[in-house]
Amino acid sequence: MLARAARGTGALLLRGLNVLIPVLDRIRYVQSLKEIVINVPEQSAVTLDNVTLQIDGVLYLRIMDPYKASYGVEDPEYAVTQLAQTTMRSELGKLSLDKVFRERESLNANIVDAINQAADCWGIRCLRYEIKDIHVPPRVKESMQMQVEAERRKRATVLESEGTRESAINVAEGKKQAQILASEAEKAEQINQAAGEASAVLAKAKAKAEAIRILAAALTQHNGDAAASLTVAEQYVSAFSKLAKDSNTILLPSNPGDVTSMVAQAMGVYGALTKAPVPGAQNSVSSGNSRDVQGTDASLDEELDRVKLS
């Protein structure tokens, strides 16, 4: 759609039938109501941290009032382009270099608002503004690359340290669990060992008691003394064969080869210990007759001393 401004009367000619007076009226301006794309030339701008940038952009606008666009400004496109450049420099001066790259959308929106406020009297509306390229100086670019590499190395170091810490924690936790399990296993082993030793002692005691009972029953039978004499003789021969094996100190009887006398002495001690008490002796002891008891004790002591000396 085209809008024409007639010189002379200053009237706006729209589409359709329009009448012009010859010599007095003629078409002076032709404005397009379509959206117009304007390339903003590259320019230098200084950021808040004093870094010089080379930046360009693209401006999208539309003529909303052809009369104002024709008579409000001499060259509307040039005016809007210059306004976009100055506004862009002004907005870049408020931001640091890092924020320029992070806040491009907010920067574009601020430029559009500033252009619309100034171009309202021109009958022009800015639809959007887009930054095309941002060129930084070579040294600044190298510094940015070094900063990025340093940040990546930092993250890698942090991740590696965290991995080392997690590994150390896992190893320590594993050692802790291993020690706990080992202590529990040792405790269970000691409990089982104690229970086994107690059972063994009890079994030995029962076996010894049973053996004593059987031995006592056997000695009361016929020829029990002969069997006891044979057992004592066998033990004497076995003990005699083990002399000087465990130590260098040897105690020998006066006649080590006389087994008969040794067995006789042992049987004498056994007979004295197992001698049956005389009926009524308990009553006599309880009544105060202690001479017989002392005599018996003396005879037993003599037999034991004789066995020791032999």
Side-chain angles (χ1 to χ4, degrees), residues 101-145:
F101 294 99
R102 291 199 302 264
E103 300 180 3
R104 294 183 66 170
E105 294 183 0
S106 62
L107 180 63
N108 294 334
N110 293 334
I111 294 175
V112 170
D113 293 339
I115 292 175
N116 287 331
Q117 290 178 5
D120 183 61
C121 59
W122 300 339
I124 299 174
R125 181 174 180 81
C126 180
L127 301 180
R128 57 188 177 276
Y129 179 86
E130 297 292 339
I131 297 176
K132 290 200 304 183
D133 297 319
I134 299 176
H135 301 283
V136 297
R139 292 184 178 180
V140 176
K141 188 175 182 180
E142 293 177 359
S143 300
M144 293 175 64
Q145 291 178 353

Side-chain angles (χ1 to χ4, degrees), residues 23-62:
V23 180
L24 296 179
D25 296 331
R26 66 187 182 92
I27 298 175
R28 182 66 180 84
Y29 301 101
V30 178
Q31 304 291 349
S32 176
L33 302 183
K34 297 179 180 180
E35 185 174 349
I36 302 173
V37 180
I38 301 175
N39 289 322
V40 179
E42 183 178 356
Q43 62 174 343
S44 62
V46 180
T47 61
L48 183 63
D49 48 357
N50 297 325
V51 177
T52 303
L53 301 177
Q54 298 293 329
I55 187 168
D56 57 358
V58 180
L59 183 65
Y60 300 86
L61 55 86
R62 175 178 290 175

